[in-house]
Amino acid sequence: MSTPDQQQRRYADPSGWSDSSARSVLQLMAESVAQMVGFEVTALSVVIEDELVTVAYVGPEEYRAYVEQPDPADVLEPVLVAAEQWGPRLRFLAAEDHAELEGHWVEFEQEQLDHPDAWRAQDVLLAVLTDDDGTMVGAVSVDRPLSGLRPDAVQRDLLERYAAQAERAVLTAFEREELLQQVAHAESARRMIRAASMPAHASLEAVLRSTHRPLVEGFRASGSWIHVLDADCPGGSYARQHDGETVTMRPEVVEEARRVAPRLWRDQTVLVVVAGETPGVPDVIHRELEALGLSTVLAVPLGAGEECLGFMALTRREQDPPWSPVEIDSARQIGHDLGAALMTARALESERALVRELKQLDDYRSQLIATMSHELRTPLAVIAGNLEMLGTLDLEAVAMMHHAAMTRGSDRMKKVVDDLLMLARVSNPRYPLATVPVDVRDITLEVVELIETSARAKQLTVELALEPTDLVVPGDPTELDRLIGNLVSNAVKYTPAGGTVTVEVALGTDEVVIRVSDNGMGISEEDQAGLFGAFFRTTNPEALAQPGTGLGLAIVATIVERHEGSVAVQSELGAGTTFTVGLPLAHSRKGTPVPGVPAPRRAAVQIA
Ligand code: ADP
């Protein structure tokens, strides 16, 4: 028999045993021994870590607390050395053969019979309970025989048989507890891995890093290694010892893992490798396990659906127990959880790459637009200047006609170049918004005044409703001017003669609201979807007949975004359109609506 401290069991304190029925069974055992064999006192103790803890006691109540105090497990050693062996488990140490014993040995005082076999208060009779390896797992000790005599052969035999039953009960209790703990550990590992694999954390490297701790803790492993099969995956191999130290895997080992994982996934199985023993495993693996001081590895494939995505290895050392079926099954399930997490991480990774690519493309497009429009601006200025010069000359009628056509063309080109330049400017993150207080009323008035001529030419009514209060927002005046200008000029452009354009500016709860409405040609629902994209023009032939670049609303949307505002459109084909823009007020005014502000004063400006 090995001494109790040769091997330490990892069981929890029995007071914390999740399976309390185990305690009741052991108590029942103790009671049976007392009754059936004929002892007043029976104590059943188990070895927990390196302590002998009493878990069941029958006997006088006044002794209970004392008996139940744990002793170091080696307290029995001197007794066992000196005791007489009465059976495979039974040991008897006669009072006359020992001096005072250390530990919680109780002398249950009892009147001693006048008999050669009389029981003496200092007699020790106990059964040592061991597991299959001969390691002590507990003890049953008895005292105060009802007969007052040391047990005879019949009693000893009975006691030995009860001890065998008690041994089985203790081992079963330990196994059950061990099983329950394994399930709890593996469950917590799964929970933690699932939590770590949530999309918020789901960069591939983060997923791998976050799994290490739950794995080594949940599986009481000495280390973990996760390898992602995707060959181009950076950071896709993560091996750590339980103390967090990195382990670099040899290429041959990686190669073997990559070879084995898909087969394991296909068969939905795992592989337990015992160092130096498991057949069919290449020598290089056995050598590596030995070099790393590992006794066993649990190799698990990671995957989702048909696809094997990676490989996980959990390791244990010499002193650790072998992998139990519960642990093996949990690890297999974790292969699925982690596989799903890898899948998400991989999808996210490629989504990010796509976004990066699109962003580069977008940058390139902006750059191209900016360069082209800059390059066009100078020659255009030369053309426009010369046309202006020509206009001052006394031209013949035909030349005048050509001059007028060229001027119209150059004006249109200038508009296109201006729009391109503005879009490039407001879309360029290197030119962040520089704000000053801007009165939206003033800007709106200027815009409406400027549009007057073309509105009058189309015989449109322009109604202006400005709230008679400060409507100041932090912003870029040029950009805000362009924002309102684009909306109002569109309303004028896309409203047939005789229609009405209404421009309102009012104070909202924490923003200035600009509303530009018309009763013009309207925009179909399908066309509204792409309205704010660059170069977008509607499919309406009536609208397409008007000159345009499709840049105006893209500029509007970008400026609104830079000012952290909002823009919305409401429209019905053939009935009219309303654009509503909200621009946040300066912080000092934010959230402080002005109470009692009178309704907007409607100033109808009839332009005819
Ligand atoms: P552009 O006017 O230069 O074509 P915009 O970006 O300003 O470009 O507008 C995009 C499209 O949206 C226009 O081509 C037009 O068809 C439609 N649109 C814009 N404003 C209105 C409006 N007030 N009424 C009807 N259609 C409009």
Side-chain angles (χ1 to χ4, degrees), residues 76-97:
L76 294 187
E77 229 170 303
V79 177
L80 300 179
V81 170
E84 226 178 292
Q85 185 154 354
W86 277 4
R89 299 172 184 78
L90 221 51
R91 304 285 188 279
F92 176 70
L93 184 57
E96 56 274 26
D97 294 341

Side-chain angles (χ1 to χ4, degrees), residues 490 493-494 518 522-523 531 536-538 543 548-553 577:
N490 271 354
K493 187 159 68 170
Y494 297 110
D518 63 63
I523 306 163
L531 207 56
F536 177 86
R537 303 212 70 204
T538 59
T549 59
L551 290 170
L553 289 179
T577 305

